[in-house]
Amino acid sequence: MLEWASLRGRHVMRVTDDIPPASGSVVAEDPDPGQGIALALGGGAARGWAHIGVLRALDEAGVNISMIAGTSIGALVGGCYLAGKLDELEDFARSLTKRRIFGLLDINLGGGGLFGGMKLNARMQEHLSSVSFSDLPKPFVCVASEIRTGHEIWLSSGSLITAMRASYALPGVFEPVACNGRVLVDGALVNPVPVSVCRAHEQQLVVAVNLHYDLFGRAAVIKHTADAPSPSEADGQASNQLVVDRGTSDREARLGIMGVMVEAFNIIQDRISRARLAGDPPDMSILPKLGHIGLSEFHRADEAINIGYETTKAQLSEIARMRQVMV
């Protein structure tokens, strides 16, 4: 069943059925869900491992989470957390190396993305094969985008794995996900930090985790001269690689096809985040400084998790004060 919701002049579509839900419960229901905070976990590819650290810090402080809305990797981490599988996800993230990441990517040149994503899906099946949204102890929404229409899709029932895969299906990188008659891709195309989802669920306190806080200069307007490329730039274009700003390190000096797609998506996500958060700001933001971690550097999970943890720990007193004032 599809439900339309009007939100500040925008229309979003909620997909309320997908795959028949499984039975059973994963985690016990919190006795007082009304006193918690709603988390909007934003997208950010490899930087999204910081969400694990955020959730660890909140758990240690005894902060009750009343619901989670997640986009892209925020949906992956949020879903695993509510399903009681955060330990397994953290172990997996910390074990990643460049070689192991490559081994998990199943190249699929004939499909809708460079990688099919089925190897990653198989890993999730090991722990979440029978888990549905109805098994979760708190409300959870995965945000995805419908590739043919551009609709913002809110997945809140059915198969948890299918919803998470749809939410992080980066266009051109991962194969789109067929879900209940719709073809879905990464939710960061339409709602990178899903504060609006929490608002629509009438949550009193909304805390956003924005992973793009310290990417300075992305919104600048620069007047430039269209001179012919220098010899070094011409050589880079001849080898199907683009030379980027002179201030970058040698490791970042050239972009391949994958790098171009990821960086283009990063620009889109940053611009949309600025616009949507300005129109519908959260009550509070957690802003880990992750600009030095590349979107594809999934092997730097230790660093990202620690940054998310320390950033959240530093804001626990502010979270406590916010709850006292507003609840």
Side-chain angles (χ1 to χ4, degrees), residues 6 42 116 132 146 154 167 190 194 255 257 260 280 282 317 323-325:
S6 179
S132 69
E146 187 175 12
W154 294 359
S167 188
V190 291
L255 294 173
I257 295 175
V260 170
D280 195 1
S317 59
R323 295 179 69 193
Q324 290 175 354
V325 170

Side-chain angles (χ1 to χ4, degrees), residues 3-306:
E3 299 178 357
W4 284 95
S6 179
L7 186 63
R8 291 181 179 268
R10 298 187 298 275
H11 293 282
V12 298
M13 191 177 297
R14 298 172 181 158
V15 178
T16 56
D17 60 349
D18 175 16
I19 296 175
S23 59
S25 179
V26 177
V27 184
E29 183 74 29
D30 191 289
D32 190 13
Q35 298 301 310
I37 62 173
L39 282 181
L41 302 182
R47 299 180 188 126
W49 294 137
H51 290 313
I52 297 175
V54 171
L55 291 167
R56 292 294 190 199
L58 293 175
D59 272 354
E60 285 184 10
V63 177
N64 180 34
I65 297 172
S66 58
M67 80 160 288
I68 294 178
T71 293
S72 195
I73 195 166
L76 173 64
V77 176
C80 288
Y81 170 78
L82 290 178
K85 299 296 183 180
L86 191 64
D87 288 344
E88 289 81 354
L89 180 65
E90 182 173 355
D91 290 342
F92 170 75
R94 291 185 184 274
S95 71
L96 290 176
T97 63
K98 290 182 179 180
R99 177 174 293 183
R100 191 173 185 191
I101 292 170
F102 185 78
L104 289 170
L105 300 177
D106 45 344
I107 298 177
N108 181 24
L109 297 179
L114 288 176
F115 308 105
M118 297 313 295
K119 289 184 179 180
L120 292 172
N121 183 62
R123 291 301 303 270
M124 288 193 294
Q125 291 284 355
E126 295 176 11
H127 302 286
L128 299 167
S129 60
S130 62
V131 180
S132 69
F133 282 85
S134 62
D135 297 320
L136 304 180
K138 306 288 176 65
F140 178 53
V141 179
C142 293
V143 178
S145 310
E146 187 175 12
I147 192 66
R148 292 194 177 100
T149 64
H151 291 321
E152 179 177 340
I153 306 296
W154 294 359
L155 297 161
S156 57
S157 67
S159 167
L160 183 63
I161 289 179
T162 300
M164 292 191 301
R165 283 188 59 218
S167 188
Y168 70 66
L170 185 66
V173 178
F174 287 113
E175 188 84 14
V177 175
C179 179
N180 198 27
R182 298 183 181 276
V183 180
L184 305 181
V185 295
D186 200 305
L189 283 173
V190 291
N191 198 348
V193 187
V195 171
S196 59
V197 181
C198 299
R199 296 292 188 202
H201 282 73
E202 301 180 351
Q203 294 295 307
Q204 189 170 11
L205 301 176
V206 180
V207 175
V209 184
N210 186 353
L211 306 177
H212 293 267
Y213 162 68
D214 62 336
L215 298 182
F216 303 112
R218 290 272 174 171
V221 177
I222 299 174
K223 296 180 179 180
H224 197 51
T225 302
D227 290 335
S230 66
S232 62
E233 291 172 331
D235 291 341
Q237 292 172 359
S239 60
N240 291 324
Q241 294 177 317
L242 299 181
V243 177
V244 296
D245 291 342
R246 295 176 176 86
T248 59
S249 64
D250 292 340
R251 179 179 60 83
E252 299 172 324
R254 296 178 184 275
L255 294 173
I257 295 175
M258 181 78 165
V260 170
M261 288 192 298
V262 170
E263 287 300 327
F265 189 76
N266 191 27
I267 294 170
I268 294 170
Q269 184 170 316
D270 179 66
R271 291 298 183 100
I272 296 173
S273 294
R274 291 171 185 267
R276 297 206 63 165
L277 291 177
D280 195 1
D283 297 300
M284 178 180 166
S285 293
I286 296 175
L287 306 168
K289 295 182 179 180
L290 300 160
H292 60 289
I293 298 179
L295 290 176
S296 59
E297 293 182 320
F298 288 94
H299 59 283
R300 299 178 67 178
D302 283 346
E303 189 176 353
I305 292 171
N306 292 337

